[in-house]
Amino acid sequence: PYTTLFRSVLELVEKYIATKTGVRPTTEAGYRTVINWLKKDPFGKKFIHTVRISDAKTWLIHLQKKDGK
């Protein structure tokens, strides 16, 4: 639908994580960490319809180099 196209990466991740129930505390902490990264990074503000797979891969590589995660 139209509204889904204009959802940000952060909004989509938050919606996805909200569907995860009964996860371990360490998994939940990991989810929160990803959300915090997305809140600080311009990638989290991108509309989902503009993001290519290569954009997501590039963002992950950037995180690994920057934060050693």
Side-chain angles (χ1 to χ4, degrees), residues 10-46:
L10 175 60
E11 291 171 329
L12 188 66
V13 169
E14 288 175 329
K15 184 174 182 175
Y16 170 76
I17 289 174
T19 67
K20 299 295 186 181
T21 58
V23 297
R24 294 180 177 189
T26 53
T27 303
E28 190 175 333
Y31 290 161
R32 282 193 307 269
T33 299
V34 170
I35 288 174
N36 287 334
W37 284 336
L38 287 170
K39 285 180 179 179
K40 295 175 187 174
D41 196 287
F43 183 74
K45 294 171 183 59
K46 282 187 156 196

Side-chain angles (χ1 to χ4, degrees), residues 37 43 55-65 69:
W37 284 336
F43 183 74
D55 297 331
K57 287 181 179 180
T58 301
W59 182 71
L60 286 173
I61 291 167
H62 165 74
L63 283 181
Q64 290 170 342
K65 288 182 178 177
K69 304 288 181 196

